[in-house]
Amino acid sequence: MLKAFLLIVVGLAGDPEHGKTFHKWGTTLAEASERLGVPKERLVYLVDQPGEGDTRVTGKATRDEIGKAIDGFGKQAGPEDVVFIMLIGHGSYDGRESKFNLPGPDMAAGDFNLLLKRLPTKQVVLVNASAPGRTIVTATRSGAEHFTTLFGGFFIDALTSEAADADKNKRISVLEAFKFAKTEVTRAYEREGLLATEHALLDDDGDKEGSADPSNAGTDPKNKDGKVASVVSLGVAGDDGLPADPKLRALHVERRDLERRVESLRLLKESMDQAKYTSELEKLVTAIALKTREIRAAEGK
C-alpha cells in the first residue's frame, strides 16, 4: 500500500494578522491529515512560533528542523510513496534568488533541492525548486510578485474538502487543487475590483518552466505540465466535518465562504482603499453574525 508523508511549514509572517491566517491554514491541513490518509507518525508540522494549544505542531520552522523532517521521510518512504511539502509564509527576492523566510537562516530553492535529492520516492510535491519526478506549485510566477498571496488558503481548502473533486473520484489531485485555488483567487480579486498581484504556476515535467494553465492531456507543446499532477494526490477526500442535514450543511458552507472572504480581504488590505476595506469588512462580519444566528436557530439552540 502506498504511503503519503506530509510536511507543513509556516514561516515568518511579517505581522500578527498574517501570522494568524497562516497558522490557521497550516492547522486546517494538519487537522485534516489523518482522514486524508496521513497518520500522525507521517506528519511534521513546523511553525515560526509554537504557541500554547498548538496540539498538532511538532516543532519550530527552522532550516535544521526542515532538514530533519525530510531526512526522516527519506528513511521511511518507498520509491512509489508520495512526499507532500506545503510552505506557508513570506519570501524575499534580491533580484537573483528567492528565499523562503524562516526564524534563523532562510532557505532558497537550491537548499530545498539538495534536501529533496535525498528522498528515494519518485513522487514529491512541493507547494511554493524543479526536477523530473517532482510536482512544483507556486503562488506567484516570479520574485517580482511580492505581495501577500491568497493562493495557499484556497489550495488547502481544495485538499481538505470535496469542492475541488472535479471527477468525483473521492481523491483531490494536485491538478484539481491547483485549478480550484487559481479560480478562487481570480474571483477574490475581481470581487474587490483589484488587479491580481499573484499568478500561480505548476511544473511537473522537470523543465523548470511552470504553466499557468496545466492540463492532464499534456498534448500542447507550449503547455506540457499537468499529466503527473493529475494522478498525484495527498489522500482520500473524506468527511469534511459539516453536518449531514442538507439545510444545516448549506448554512455552514455559506458561513465558511463568508469567513474565507474576510480572510482574503484582510490579506488584500494593503492593496485596497482604506475606506472600502473598512466598509467591506463590516458588511462581511455582520453577515457572518447573522448567518451564525441562523445556524443556531436551525439547530434549535
Side-chain angles (χ1 to χ4, degrees), residues 2-301:
L2 299 184
K3 301 189 296 291
F5 298 80
L6 174 60
L7 169 61
I8 306 168
V9 184
V10 177
L12 295 177
D15 62 67
E17 193 166 82
H18 286 165
K20 184 178 179 180
T21 297
F22 294 160
H23 277 248
K24 178 186 175 184
W25 291 355
T27 299
T28 296
L29 183 54
E31 289 179 343
S33 61
E34 287 187 73
R35 64 175 176 78
L36 290 173
V38 183
K40 290 181 180 179
E41 60 269 22
R42 297 204 296 268
L43 166 69
V44 177
Y45 179 21
L46 307 175
V47 300
D48 56 338
Q49 289 293 335
E52 189 175 343
D54 287 340
T55 58
R56 297 281 178 169
V57 172
T58 58
K60 191 166 183 176
T62 64
R63 185 177 182 144
D64 286 345
E65 289 301 312
I66 292 171
K68 288 178 185 177
I70 293 175
D71 283 344
F73 290 169
K75 293 175 183 177
Q76 302 176 64
E80 304 301 324
D81 294 333
V82 177
V83 173
F84 202 103
I85 301 169
M86 185 80 192
L87 305 179
I88 305 170
H90 282 303
S92 58
Y93 180 62
D94 62 5
R96 295 175 300 171
E97 186 177 52
S98 296
K99 292 186 177 182
F100 183 64
N101 299 155
L102 297 165
D106 296 334
M107 290 186 68
D111 300 319
F112 281 102
N113 187 43
L114 289 174
L115 290 173
L116 298 181
K117 282 183 177 179
R118 302 177 193 173
L119 293 169
T121 176
K122 292 184 289 186
Q123 300 295 348
V124 178
V125 180
L126 177 64
V127 183
N128 191 21
S130 166
R134 295 185 196 157
T135 299
I136 312 298
V137 177
T138 64
T140 57
R141 63 188 174 195
S142 73
E145 295 187 340
H146 57 273
F147 289 104
T148 302
T149 60
L150 309 181
F151 183 86
F154 290 120
F155 192 84
I156 289 172
D157 280 351
L159 293 175
T160 57
S161 71
E162 297 181 2
D165 189 12
D167 58 10
K168 306 302 177 185
N169 68 347
K170 299 296 183 181
R171 299 181 73 86
I172 309 297
S173 71
V174 174
L175 181 60
E176 286 175 323
F178 176 87
K179 287 180 172 291
F180 175 89
K182 192 164 178 266
T183 298
E184 292 303 313
V185 166
T186 300
R187 287 175 179 167
Y189 278 94
E190 289 177 347
R191 192 162 50 230
E192 304 306 333
L194 297 172
L195 184 66
T197 57
E198 58 183 284
H199 300 84
L201 299 175
L202 185 149
D203 173 29
D204 65 359
D205 66 354
D207 66 355
K208 300 184 181 181
E209 293 290 334
S211 297
D213 189 25
S215 165
N216 59 0
T219 54
D220 184 350
K222 295 181 180 179
N223 183 16
K224 298 178 289 182
D225 296 302
K227 291 184 72 175
V228 175
S230 68
V231 297
V232 176
S233 64
L234 182 57
V236 179
D239 176 29
D240 54 14
L242 295 175
D245 177 82
K247 181 181 178 181
L248 264 178
R249 185 180 183 86
L251 291 172
H252 277 270
V253 168
E254 289 168 8
R255 183 174 65 179
R256 188 172 64 182
D257 289 344
L258 288 167
E259 290 170 343
R260 166 59 75 196
R261 288 184 61 181
V262 168
E263 192 175 286
S264 298
L265 190 68
R266 284 175 170 157
L267 293 179
L268 292 172
K269 180 179 180 180
E270 58 191 293
S271 306
M272 296 181 65
D273 173 78
Q274 186 61 42
K276 180 181 178 182
Y277 168 78
T278 302
S279 174
E280 289 294 310
L281 184 60
E282 287 177 352
K283 289 177 185 176
L284 289 171
V285 170
T286 301
I288 289 172
L290 292 172
K291 191 62 62 177
T292 299
R293 183 188 300 173
E294 196 175 349
I295 289 171
R296 288 177 176 169
E299 291 174 336
K301 296 181 180 179

